[in-house]
Amino acid sequence: MKIAAFGEIMLRLTVPEHQLLTQNNMLQSSYTGTGVNILSSLHQLGAESYMISQLPANRLG
């Protein structure tokens, strides 16, 4: 089964150990978003999954 989802992938930045941003100079990153979560779960169950999105035409994209 092939499954495709539309959406964006969000980059979540968190401070380790539940500290405040001013208490630590490191950030942990993780990728999230409803489409990403659903597709990754379906992929682990054996489905062929694709994420359809668009990135900006700049250095960040």
Side-chain angles (χ1 to χ4, degrees):
M1 176 177 10
K2 294 182 183 180
I3 299 174
F6 294 92
E8 68 280 347
I9 300 172
M10 294 181 283
L11 174 63
R12 181 179 183 163
L13 299 172
T14 55
V15 182
E17 302 174 10
H18 305 289
Q19 294 180 337
L20 297 174
L21 186 59
T22 56
Q23 294 175 315
N24 201 322
N25 61 356
M26 294 179 57
L27 293 173
Q28 296 174 334
S29 64
S30 60
Y31 296 97
T32 185
T34 304
V36 173
N37 292 338
I38 292 171
L39 288 179
S40 63
S41 295
L42 290 171
H43 180 74
Q44 290 178 3
L45 294 172
E48 191 175 340
S49 57
Y50 300 92
M51 184 71 176
I52 300 170
S53 188
Q54 185 173 357
L55 298 173
N58 58 31
R59 291 177 60 191
L60 184 59

Coordinates of all heavy atoms in Angstrom, one line a residue:
M1 N 0.8 -1.2 0.0 CA 0.0 0.0 0.0 C 0.9 1.2 0.0 O 1.9 1.3 0.7 CB -0.9 0.0 1.2 CG -1.7 1.2 1.4 SD -2.9 1.3 2.8 CE -2.6 0.0 3.8
K2 N 0.6 2.2 -0.9 CA 1.3 3.5 -0.9 C 0.4 4.6 -0.3 O -0.7 4.7 -0.6 CB 1.7 3.8 -2.3 CG 2.6 2.9 -3.0 CD 3.0 3.4 -4.4 CE 3.9 2.4 -5.1 NZ 4.2 2.8 -6.4
I3 N 1.0 5.4 0.6 CA 0.3 6.5 1.2 C 1.1 7.7 1.1 O 2.3 7.7 1.4 CB 0.0 6.1 2.7 CG1 -0.8 4.9 2.8 CG2 -0.6 7.3 3.4 CD1 -1.0 4.4 4.2
A4 N 0.5 8.8 0.7 CA 1.1 10.1 0.7 C 0.3 11.1 1.5 O -0.9 11.0 1.7 CB 1.2 10.6 -0.8
A5 N 1.1 12.0 2.1 CA 0.4 13.1 3.0 C 1.0 14.4 2.6 O 2.2 14.6 2.2 CB 0.7 12.8 4.4
F6 N 0.2 15.4 2.7 CA 0.6 16.8 2.4 C 0.8 17.5 3.8 O 0.2 17.2 4.8 CB -0.6 17.6 1.7 CG -0.8 17.1 0.3 CD1 -1.8 16.2 0.1 CD2 -0.1 17.6 -0.7 CE1 -2.1 15.7 -1.2 CE2 -0.4 17.2 -2.0 CZ -1.3 16.3 -2.2
G7 N 1.8 18.4 3.8 CA 2.0 19.1 5.1 C 3.4 19.6 5.2 O 4.2 19.5 4.3
E8 N 3.7 20.1 6.4 CA 5.0 20.6 6.7 C 5.6 19.8 7.8 O 5.0 19.2 8.6 CB 4.9 22.1 7.1 CG 4.3 22.4 8.4 CD 2.7 22.3 8.4 OE1 2.1 22.4 7.3 OE2 2.2 22.3 9.5
I9 N 6.9 19.9 7.8 CA 7.7 19.2 8.8 C 8.2 20.3 9.7 O 8.8 21.3 9.3 CB 8.9 18.4 8.2 CG1 8.4 17.3 7.3 CG2 9.8 17.8 9.3 CD1 9.5 16.7 6.5
M10 N 7.9 20.2 11.0 CA 8.3 21.2 12.0 C 9.6 20.8 12.7 O 9.7 19.6 13.1 CB 7.2 21.5 12.9 CG 6.0 22.1 12.3 SD 4.7 22.5 13.5 CE 4.1 20.8 13.7
L11 N 10.5 21.7 12.9 CA 11.7 21.5 13.7 C 11.4 22.0 15.1 O 11.2 23.2 15.3 CB 12.9 22.2 13.1 CG 14.2 22.1 13.9 CD1 14.7 20.7 14.0 CD2 15.3 22.9 13.2
R12 N 11.4 21.1 16.1 CA 11.2 21.5 17.5 C 12.5 21.6 18.2 O 13.3 20.7 18.2 CB 10.3 20.5 18.1 CG 10.0 20.8 19.6 CD 9.1 19.8 20.2 NE 8.7 20.3 21.5 CZ 7.7 19.8 22.2 NH1 6.9 18.9 21.7 NH2 7.5 20.2 23.4
L13 N 12.8 22.7 18.8 CA 14.0 22.9 19.6 C 13.6 23.0 21.1 O 12.7 23.8 21.5 CB 14.7 24.2 19.2 CG 15.1 24.3 17.7 CD1 15.6 25.7 17.4 CD2 16.2 23.3 17.5
T14 N 14.2 22.2 21.9 CA 14.0 22.2 23.4 C 15.3 22.2 24.1 O 16.3 21.8 23.7 CB 13.2 20.9 23.8 OG1 13.9 19.8 23.4 CG2 11.8 20.8 23.2
V15 N 15.2 22.8 25.3 CA 16.3 22.9 26.2 C 16.4 21.6 27.0 O 15.4 21.1 27.5 CB 16.2 24.1 27.2 CG1 17.4 24.2 28.0 CG2 16.0 25.4 26.3
P16 N 17.6 21.0 27.1 CA 17.7 19.7 27.9 C 17.3 19.9 29.4 O 17.4 21.0 29.9 CB 19.2 19.3 27.8 CG 19.7 20.1 26.6 CD 18.8 21.4 26.5
E17 N 16.9 18.8 30.0 CA 16.6 18.7 31.4 C 15.6 19.7 31.9 O 15.6 20.1 33.0 CB 17.9 18.8 32.2 CG 18.9 17.8 31.8 CD 20.3 18.0 32.5 OE1 20.4 18.8 33.4 OE2 21.2 17.3 32.1
H18 N 14.6 20.1 31.0 CA 13.5 21.0 31.4 C 14.0 22.4 32.0 O 13.4 23.0 32.8 CB 12.6 20.3 32.4 CG 12.0 19.0 31.8 ND1 11.1 19.0 30.8 CD2 12.3 17.8 32.2 CE1 10.8 17.7 30.6 NE2 11.5 17.0 31.4
Q19 N 15.2 22.8 31.6 CA 15.7 24.1 32.1 C 15.1 25.2 31.2 O 14.5 25.0 30.2 CB 17.2 24.1 32.0 CG 17.9 23.1 32.9 CD 19.4 23.2 32.7 OE1 20.0 23.6 31.7 NE2 20.1 22.8 33.8
L20 N 15.4 26.4 31.7 CA 15.0 27.6 30.9 C 16.0 27.8 29.8 O 17.2 27.4 29.9 CB 14.9 28.8 31.8 CG 13.8 28.8 32.9 CD1 14.0 30.0 33.8 CD2 12.5 28.7 32.4
L21 N 15.6 28.6 28.8 CA 16.5 28.8 27.7 C 17.8 29.6 28.2 O 18.9 29.4 27.7 CB 15.8 29.6 26.6 CG 16.5 29.9 25.3 CD1 16.9 28.6 24.6 CD2 15.6 30.7 24.4
T22 N 17.6 30.4 29.2 CA 18.8 31.2 29.7 C 19.7 30.4 30.6 O 20.7 30.8 31.0 CB 18.3 32.4 30.4 OG1 17.4 32.0 31.5 CG2 17.5 33.4 29.5
Q23 N 19.3 29.2 31.0 CA 20.1 28.3 31.9 C 21.0 27.4 31.2 O 21.7 26.7 31.8 CB 19.1 27.6 32.8 CG 18.4 28.5 33.8 CD 17.4 27.6 34.6 OE1 16.7 26.8 34.1 NE2 17.3 27.9 35.9
N24 N 20.8 27.2 29.9 CA 21.6 26.3 29.2 C 22.0 26.8 27.8 O 21.2 27.6 27.2 CB 20.8 25.0 29.0 CG 21.7 23.8 28.7 OD1 22.6 23.9 28.0 ND2 21.3 22.6 29.3
N25 N 23.2 26.4 27.3 CA 23.6 26.9 26.0 C 23.4 25.9 24.9 O 24.0 26.0 23.8 CB 25.0 27.5 26.0 CG 26.0 26.4 26.4 OD1 25.6 25.3 26.7 ND2 27.3 26.8 26.4
M26 N 22.7 24.8 25.2 CA 22.5 23.7 24.2 C 21.0 23.5 23.9 O 20.1 23.8 24.8 CB 23.0 22.4 24.7 CG 24.5 22.4 24.8 SD 25.1 20.8 25.5 CE 24.5 19.7 24.3
L27 N 20.6 23.1 22.7 CA 19.3 22.8 22.4 C 19.2 21.4 21.7 O 20.1 21.0 21.0 CB 18.7 23.8 21.3 CG 18.5 25.3 21.8 CD1 18.1 26.1 20.6 CD2 17.5 25.3 22.9
Q28 N 18.1 20.7 22.0 CA 17.9 19.4 21.4 C 16.9 19.6 20.3 O 15.9 20.4 20.4 CB 17.3 18.4 22.4 CG 18.3 18.1 23.5 CD 17.6 17.2 24.6 OE1 16.4 17.2 24.8 NE2 18.5 16.4 25.3
S29 N 17.1 19.0 19.2 CA 16.2 19.2 18.0 C 15.5 17.9 17.7 O 16.0 16.8 17.9 CB 16.9 19.7 16.8 OG 17.8 18.7 16.4
S30 N 14.2 18.0 17.3 CA 13.5 16.8 16.9 C 12.5 17.3 15.8 O 12.1 18.5 15.8 CB 12.7 16.2 18.0 OG 11.8 17.1 18.6
Y31 N 12.2 16.4 14.9 CA 11.2 16.8 13.8 C 9.9 16.2 14.1 O 9.7 15.1 14.6 CB 11.7 16.2 12.5 CG 13.0 16.8 12.0 CD1 14.2 16.2 12.3 CD2 13.1 18.0 11.4 CE1 15.5 16.8 11.9 CE2 14.3 18.6 11.0 CZ 15.4 18.0 11.3 OH 16.6 18.5 10.9
T32 N 8.9 17.1 13.9 CA 7.5 16.7 14.3 C 6.5 17.2 13.3 O 6.9 17.9 12.3 CB 7.2 17.2 15.7 OG1 5.9 16.7 16.1 CG2 7.2 18.7 15.8
G33 N 5.3 17.0 13.5 CA 4.2 17.4 12.6 C 3.2 16.2 12.5 O 3.6 15.1 12.5
T34 N 2.0 16.5 12.3 CA 1.0 15.5 12.2 C 1.2 14.5 11.1 O 1.2 13.3 11.3 CB -0.4 16.1 12.1 OG1 -0.7 17.0 13.2 CG2 -1.5 15.0 12.1
G35 N 1.5 15.0 9.9 CA 1.8 14.2 8.8 C 3.0 13.3 9.0 O 3.0 12.1 8.6
V36 N 4.0 13.9 9.5 CA 5.3 13.1 9.8 C 5.0 12.0 10.8 O 5.5 10.9 10.6 CB 6.4 14.0 10.3 CG1 7.6 13.3 10.7 CG2 6.8 15.1 9.2
N37 N 4.3 12.3 11.8 CA 4.0 11.3 12.8 C 3.2 10.1 12.3 O 3.5 8.9 12.5 CB 3.3 11.9 14.0 CG 4.2 12.8 14.8 OD1 5.4 12.7 14.8 ND2 3.5 13.7 15.5
I38 N 2.1 10.5 11.5 CA 1.3 9.4 10.9 C 2.1 8.6 9.9 O 2.0 7.4 9.9 CB 0.0 10.0 10.3 CG1 -0.9 10.6 11.4 CG2 -0.7 9.0 9.5 CD1 -2.0 11.4 10.9
L39 N 2.8 9.3 9.0 CA 3.5 8.5 8.0 C 4.6 7.6 8.6 O 4.9 6.5 8.1 CB 4.2 9.5 7.0 CG 3.2 10.2 6.0 CD1 3.9 11.1 5.1 CD2 2.4 9.1 5.2
S40 N 5.3 8.1 9.6 CA 6.4 7.3 10.2 C 5.8 6.1 10.9 O 6.3 5.0 10.8 CB 7.2 8.1 11.2 OG 6.4 8.5 12.3
S41 N 4.6 6.2 11.5 CA 3.9 5.1 12.1 C 3.5 4.1 11.1 O 3.6 2.8 11.2 CB 2.7 5.5 12.9 OG 3.1 6.3 14.0
L42 N 2.9 4.6 10.0 CA 2.5 3.7 8.9 C 3.6 3.0 8.2 O 3.6 1.8 7.9 CB 1.7 4.5 7.8 CG 0.3 4.9 8.3 CD1 -0.3 5.9 7.3 CD2 -0.6 3.7 8.6
H43 N 4.8 3.7 8.1 CA 6.0 3.1 7.5 C 6.5 1.9 8.4 O 6.9 0.9 7.9 CB 7.0 4.1 7.3 CG 8.3 3.6 6.8 ND1 8.4 3.3 5.4 CD2 9.5 3.3 7.3 CE1 9.6 2.8 5.2 NE2 10.3 2.8 6.3
Q44 N 6.4 2.1 9.7 CA 6.9 1.1 10.6 C 5.9 -0.1 10.6 O 6.3 -1.3 10.9 CB 6.9 1.6 12.1 CG 8.0 2.6 12.3 CD 8.1 3.1 13.7 OE1 7.3 2.8 14.5 NE2 9.0 4.0 13.9
L45 N 4.7 0.1 10.1 CA 3.7 -1.0 10.0 C 3.8 -1.7 8.6 O 3.1 -2.6 8.3 CB 2.3 -0.5 10.2 CG 2.0 -0.1 11.6 CD1 0.6 0.5 11.7 CD2 2.1 -1.3 12.6
G46 N 4.7 -1.2 7.7 CA 5.0 -1.8 6.4 C 4.4 -1.1 5.2 O 4.6 -1.5 4.1
A47 N 3.8 0.1 5.4 CA 3.2 0.8 4.3 C 4.3 1.7 3.6 O 5.2 2.2 4.3 CB 2.1 1.7 4.8
E48 N 4.3 1.8 2.3 CA 5.2 2.7 1.6 C 4.6 4.1 1.7 O 3.5 4.4 1.2 CB 5.3 2.2 0.1 CG 6.4 2.9 -0.7 CD 6.4 2.3 -2.1 OE1 5.9 1.2 -2.3 OE2 7.0 3.0 -2.9
S49 N 5.4 5.0 2.3 CA 4.8 6.3 2.6 C 5.7 7.4 2.0 O 6.9 7.3 1.9 CB 4.7 6.5 4.2 OG 6.0 6.3 4.8
Y50 N 5.0 8.5 1.7 CA 5.7 9.7 1.1 C 5.1 10.9 1.7 O 4.0 11.1 2.0 CB 5.4 9.7 -0.4 CG 5.9 8.5 -1.2 CD1 5.1 7.4 -1.4 CD2 7.2 8.5 -1.7 CE1 5.5 6.3 -2.1 CE2 7.6 7.3 -2.3 CZ 6.8 6.3 -2.5 OH 7.3 5.2 -3.2
M51 N 6.0 11.9 1.9 CA 5.6 13.2 2.4 C 5.7 14.2 1.2 O 6.8 14.3 0.6 CB 6.6 13.7 3.5 CG 6.2 14.9 4.2 SD 4.7 14.7 5.1 CE 4.6 16.3 5.9
I52 N 4.6 14.9 1.0 CA 4.6 15.9 -0.1 C 4.6 17.3 0.5 O 3.7 17.7 1.3 CB 3.4 15.7 -1.0 CG1 3.4 14.3 -1.6 CG2 3.3 16.8 -2.1 CD1 2.1 14.0 -2.3
S53 N 5.7 18.1 0.2 CA 5.8 19.4 0.8 C 6.6 20.3 -0.1 O 7.0 19.8 -1.2 CB 6.5 19.3 2.2 OG 6.5 20.5 2.8
Q54 N 6.8 21.5 0.2 CA 7.6 22.4 -0.6 C 8.4 23.2 0.4 O 8.0 23.7 1.4 CB 6.6 23.4 -1.4 CG 7.4 24.3 -2.3 CD 6.5 25.0 -3.2 OE1 5.3 24.9 -3.2 NE2 7.1 25.9 -4.0
L55 N 9.7 23.4 0.0 CA 10.6 24.2 0.8 C 10.9 25.5 0.1 O 10.8 25.7 -1.1 CB 11.9 23.4 0.9 CG 11.9 22.1 1.6 CD1 13.2 21.4 1.5 CD2 11.4 22.3 3.0
P56 N 11.2 26.6 0.9 CA 11.5 27.9 0.3 C 12.8 27.8 -0.5 O 13.7 27.0 -0.2 CB 11.6 28.8 1.5 CG 11.9 27.9 2.7 CD 11.3 26.6 2.4
A57 N 12.9 28.6 -1.5 CA 14.1 28.7 -2.3 C 15.2 29.7 -1.7 O 15.5 30.7 -2.3 CB 13.8 29.1 -3.7
N58 N 15.6 29.3 -0.5 CA 16.7 30.1 0.1 C 17.6 29.2 0.9 O 17.4 27.9 0.8 CB 16.1 31.2 1.1 CG 15.2 30.6 2.2 OD1 15.4 29.4 2.6 ND2 14.2 31.3 2.6
R59 N 18.6 29.7 1.6 CA 19.6 28.9 2.3 C 18.9 28.0 3.4 O 19.4 26.9 3.6 CB 20.6 29.7 2.9 CG 21.5 30.4 1.8 CD 22.5 31.3 2.4 NE 23.4 30.6 3.3 CZ 24.3 31.1 4.2 NH1 24.4 32.5 4.2 NH2 25.0 30.4 4.9
L60 N 17.9 28.4 4.0 CA 17.3 27.6 5.0 C 16.6 26.4 4.4 O 16.6 25.3 5.0 CB 16.3 28.5 5.8 CG 15.6 27.8 7.0 CD1 16.6 27.3 8.0 CD2 14.6 28.8 7.7
G61 N 15.9 26.6 3.3 CA 15.2 25.5 2.6 C 16.1 24.5 2.0 O 15.9 23.3 2.0

